[in-house]
Amino acid sequence: MTAAISLENLTVSYRRHPALHHVNGCFEEGSLTAVVGPNGAGKSTLLKSILGLIHCDSGHITTHATVRKIAYLPQQAEIDCSFPITVLDCVLIGYWKEKGLLRGMSKDMIAKAGEALAAVGLTGFSDRALSTLSAGQFQRVLFARILLQDADVILLDEPFNAIDARTTNDLLMIIRVWHQEGRTVIAVLHDYEQVRRMFPQSLLLARDVVAWGNTNDVLCEENLIRARAMAEAIDDYAPVCTVDGQEEEHS
């Protein structure tokens, strides 16, 4: 299969200590991949590196020619949901990268935003203030915004954290549709049973790659034990990562 995103010897550090360490591999076009691992394994760092939000100390990230647009859903804790806008305005932000902030939205664009809200189960919510929503409703709004972006690659950082089971199941169905449409979906997740049930591919991280491939193979007990042991052995006060005995340059 064709690669959508390739990682070559990717190292990313905070305060000169690696959060990701010499990561190699690729996300295949049209794949549905869960990124899993212990706390502090570098999962969110990986998504932000792909987006260019974090500087890579060494290695390369290649976004291939077939990828026109990338959509990103950050963790809810990183979003100010008290901002005084309506649900419809929040969804329409999905168009801003394409249309810019200063251009008006057409009737067709507003209609499609309404269709996106209906698709996530929020018909009639257009005029509601964002600050009045529950965590689950707010997450549905963010998924509706991604629907408008019509992206080839979709990055989701802990999309089901602190939301109810019904919302989780509804949003998992949307992710399944994206996969059926041939989009590349990469999601940071913690629920291994959910991953085994819904995600054909998995990347198990513990700053290094523990395993990457078929989910049933990746999430075997041996790999999970190894990932936990690697995470427990991490020393944030250890010497800076080196290559061939030479200190890597970190900014």
Side-chain angles (χ1 to χ4, degrees):
M1 294 183 67
T2 304
I5 296 173
S6 299
L7 312 176
E8 182 182 350
N9 201 34
L10 177 66
T11 294
V12 180
S13 66
Y14 294 110
R15 293 183 293 276
R16 307 190 69 182
H17 293 283
L20 290 170
H21 190 249
H22 302 303
V23 175
N24 291 283
C26 70
F27 295 97
E28 294 177 344
E29 185 178 317
S31 60
L32 176 56
T33 306
V35 181
V36 297
N39 290 336
K43 303 182 293 294
S44 297
T45 298
L46 176 62
L47 298 194
K48 291 177 181 178
S49 299
I50 291 171
L51 286 162
L53 300 177
I54 294 177
H55 172 73
C56 301
D57 296 283
S58 64
H60 302 281
I61 301 171
T62 303
T63 301
H64 295 276
T66 53
V67 178
R68 297 175 293 107
K69 288 188 287 186
I70 299 178
Y72 173 51
L73 178 73
Q75 295 181 24
Q76 277 208 24
E78 299 180 16
I79 304 172
D80 181 8
C81 60
S82 67
F83 195 75
I85 59 173
T86 66
V87 165
L88 178 62
D89 287 337
C90 184
V91 174
L92 288 170
I93 291 172
Y95 281 128
W96 283 1
K97 190 171 183 180
E98 176 184 351
K99 300 296 183 180
L101 299 180
L102 300 180
R103 296 183 62 181
M105 298 294 167
S106 67
K107 290 183 179 179
D108 182 60
M109 294 165 74
I110 293 172
K112 287 182 178 178
E115 292 170 3
L117 283 170
V120 300
L122 292 180
T123 299
F125 276 67
S126 294
D127 295 328
R128 286 273 299 270
L130 207 61
S131 59
T132 67
L133 303 183
S134 68
Q137 290 168 339
F138 182 55
Q139 199 72 336
R140 290 174 187 266
V141 170
L142 297 180
F143 266 68
R145 189 165 73 185
I146 289 176
L147 286 171
L148 290 192
Q149 291 180 257
D150 192 26
D152 301 296
V153 174
I154 300 169
L155 308 180
L156 308 171
D157 195 352
E158 299 188 20
F160 310 125
N161 190 33
I163 64 174
D164 60 279
R166 179 182 174 183
T167 297
T168 295
N169 289 332
D170 288 349
L171 298 183
L172 279 168
M173 292 305 102
I174 292 174
I175 289 174
R176 176 177 284 179
V177 170
W178 286 335
H179 180 47
Q180 292 170 345
E181 291 172 343
R183 304 180 198 272
T184 305
V185 183
I186 306 167
V188 170
L189 298 169
H190 292 283
D191 185 335
Y192 289 168
E193 291 310 310
Q194 184 183 84
V195 171
R196 289 187 178 99
R197 189 174 70 252
M198 298 294 298
F199 289 76
Q201 301 289 310
S202 290
L203 165 57
L204 178 56
L205 280 176
R207 300 199 183 182
D208 295 76
V209 173
V210 179
W212 193 345
N214 180 275
T215 291
N216 289 332
D217 296 331
V218 169
L219 297 187
C220 67
E221 189 63 22
E222 179 183 355
N223 286 338
L224 294 177
I225 291 172
R226 183 178 169 219
R228 287 195 295 268
M230 290 170 66
E232 290 168 0
I234 290 171
D235 180 1
D236 287 327
Y237 299 97
V240 177
C241 175
T242 61
V243 176
D244 299 328
Q246 299 296 316
E247 184 178 296
E248 290 185 352
E249 294 184 1
H250 301 286
S251 58

